[in-house]
């Protein structure tokens, strides 16, 4: 089943009035964590707003768990039901930032057992560039009854991620200046997990925010040293962009895992070494 959907394909589903189609608007970024005001001004028809900080993350302790620890299963299931999700639904996620944040919802719902979850290729811009309309205001769907259960995606924890470079590839998908430690705007220490390879997530999409063709993505990761026969794990600052890289790896044919705690968790454990340069 495809993990991406084009604006044209989604418009056909919207126009057909599918009762099992659910669209989630996941607008979030570091300098604007609350995307609701933009959502209210204009979103895809029928799209429900999803709150990254309160619905797609647990309220853990940043010092030990990172800035966006995975939500507990009860938290995610309660939120998904408020979004109107039911078992068997087709779910489409998007944001206004080349899907750098919305893929968190894709990864979590796939991890929790939903099979048909897709990312709108090109994100919000792809929809508007195609000439399709937006609607304003809140969408409050009838609550759903979806049943979720974690375990469908590969996850690596802080106690195991340090060993990944010894038998596979560990990809740090943050910007190069954060990887090298030249600039760290938010986390407690600068640098990266020793042995990691820098693979900025922004290079997985084109200027319009569409994922590069699978064969191009595959060659990119091969050039970075990813071995198709060995494990590959991605991480970022707090697990959000890392999920975007996981999708890119899967599109390229790799069986990828995610380190959800990412550098925001690692850096807050002083006993864990940090490399720079």
């Amino acid at each position: 089943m495809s993990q991406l959907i084009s604006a044209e394909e989604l418009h056909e589903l919207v126009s057909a009035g599918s009762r099992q189609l659910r669209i989630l608007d996941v607008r979030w970024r570091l300098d604007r964590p609350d995307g609701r005001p933009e959502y209210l001004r204009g979103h895809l028809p029928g799209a429900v707003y999803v709150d990254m900080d309160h619905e797609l993350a647990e309220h853990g302790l940043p010092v030990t768990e990172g800035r966006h620890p995975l939500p507990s299963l009860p938290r995610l299931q309660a939120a998904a039901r408020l979004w109107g999700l039911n078992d068997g639904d087709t779910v489409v996620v998007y944001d206004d930032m080349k899907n750098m944040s919305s893929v968190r919802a894709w990864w979590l719902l796939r991890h929790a057992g939903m099979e048909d979850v897709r990312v709108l290729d090109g994100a919000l811009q792809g929809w508007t560039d195609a000439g399709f309309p937006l609607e304003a205001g809140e969408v409050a769907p009838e609550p759903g009854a979806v049943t979720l259960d974690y375990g469908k995606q590969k996850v690596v924890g802080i106690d195991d991620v340090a060993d990944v470079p010894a038998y596979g590839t560990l990809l740090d998908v943050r910007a190069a200046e954060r990887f090298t430690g030249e600039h760290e705007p938010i986390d407690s220490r600068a640098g990266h997990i020793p042995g990691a390879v820098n693979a900025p997530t922004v290079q997985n999409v084109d200027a319009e925010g569409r994922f590069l063709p699978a064969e191009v993505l595959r060659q990119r990761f091969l050039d970075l040293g990813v071995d198709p026969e060995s494990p590959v794990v991605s991480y970022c600052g707090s697990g959000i962009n890392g999920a975007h890289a996981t999708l890119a790896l899967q599109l390229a044919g790799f069986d990828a895992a995610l380190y959800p705690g990412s550098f925001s968790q690692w850096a807050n454990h002083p006993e864990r070494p940090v490399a720079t340069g």
Side-chain angles (χ1 to χ4, degrees):
M1 186 173 294
S2 176
Q3 299 175 92
L4 301 177
I5 188 170
S6 70
E8 291 75 16
E9 291 169 328
L10 179 56
H11 185 258
E12 288 184 10
L13 292 178
V14 172
S15 300
S18 171
R19 296 177 60 87
Q20 287 191 298
L21 174 65
R22 300 288 181 267
I23 304 176
L24 305 181
D25 185 306
V26 196
R27 296 192 220 193
W28 177 92
R29 64 187 189 212
L30 276 174
D31 62 342
R32 189 210 61 199
D34 183 5
R36 188 180 294 276
E38 288 81 5
Y39 162 82
L40 293 173
R41 284 195 286 269
H43 53 77
L44 268 64
V48 177
Y49 178 70
V50 173
D51 189 313
M52 175 72 72
D53 289 335
H54 296 92
E55 295 178 311
L56 299 182
E58 196 64 29
H59 296 164
L61 297 173
V63 174
T64 57
E65 298 180 76
R67 283 181 276 114
H68 289 98
L70 298 184
S72 66
L73 189 61
R75 179 184 293 274
L76 181 64
Q77 181 168 278
R81 290 179 176 181
L82 288 177
W83 306 332
L85 270 55
N86 290 292
D87 295 328
D89 280 349
T90 293
V91 182
V92 177
V93 304
Y94 75 93
D95 59 31
D96 60 353
M97 200 174 62
K98 300 183 178 181
N99 286 312
M100 296 294 168
S101 58
S102 67
V103 175
R104 169 79 165 206
W106 167 85
W107 188 90
L108 278 169
L109 291 173
R110 291 294 298 265
H111 184 45
M114 295 204 74
E115 295 185 358
D116 193 3
V117 187
R118 311 185 204 186
V119 175
L120 175 58
D121 207 16
L124 180 65
Q125 180 183 336
W127 180 267
T128 56
D129 284 354
F132 300 136
L134 300 177
E135 65 179 26
E138 190 83 46
V139 174
E142 180 180 338
V146 69
T147 301
L148 302 179
D149 187 20
Y150 281 154
K152 306 304 186 295
Q153 295 274 8
K154 291 186 176 180
V155 178
V156 174
I158 190 171
D159 291 330
D160 297 317
V161 69
D163 297 329
V164 172
Y167 60 84
T169 308
L170 180 61
L171 297 180
D172 182 317
V173 304
R174 297 172 300 157
E177 63 270 19
R178 294 187 69 192
F179 175 83
T180 60
E182 296 173 53
H183 177 64
E184 180 47 64
I186 190 166
D187 288 320
S188 60
R189 289 191 286 168
H192 57 269
I193 299 174
V197 176
N198 193 211
T201 286
V202 294
Q203 296 178 15
N204 293 327
V205 296
D206 61 20
E208 286 72 42
R210 293 180 174 85
F211 279 90
L212 300 176
E215 62 274 15
V216 176
L217 286 172
R218 186 170 183 84
Q219 190 59 55
R220 177 184 183 234
F221 292 125
L222 289 173
D223 290 344
L224 287 167
V226 177
D227 182 350
E229 304 301 321
S230 301
V232 56
V233 178
S234 65
Y235 77 90
C236 58
S238 67
I240 295 174
N241 287 355
H244 190 281
T246 301
L247 173 55
L249 284 160
Q250 291 185 11
L251 292 172
F254 297 98
D255 188 14
L258 175 67
Y259 168 38
S262 288
F263 195 70
S264 64
Q265 181 186 39
W266 182 273
N268 276 302
H269 286 259
E271 75 279 10
R272 309 279 179 174
V274 169
T276 56

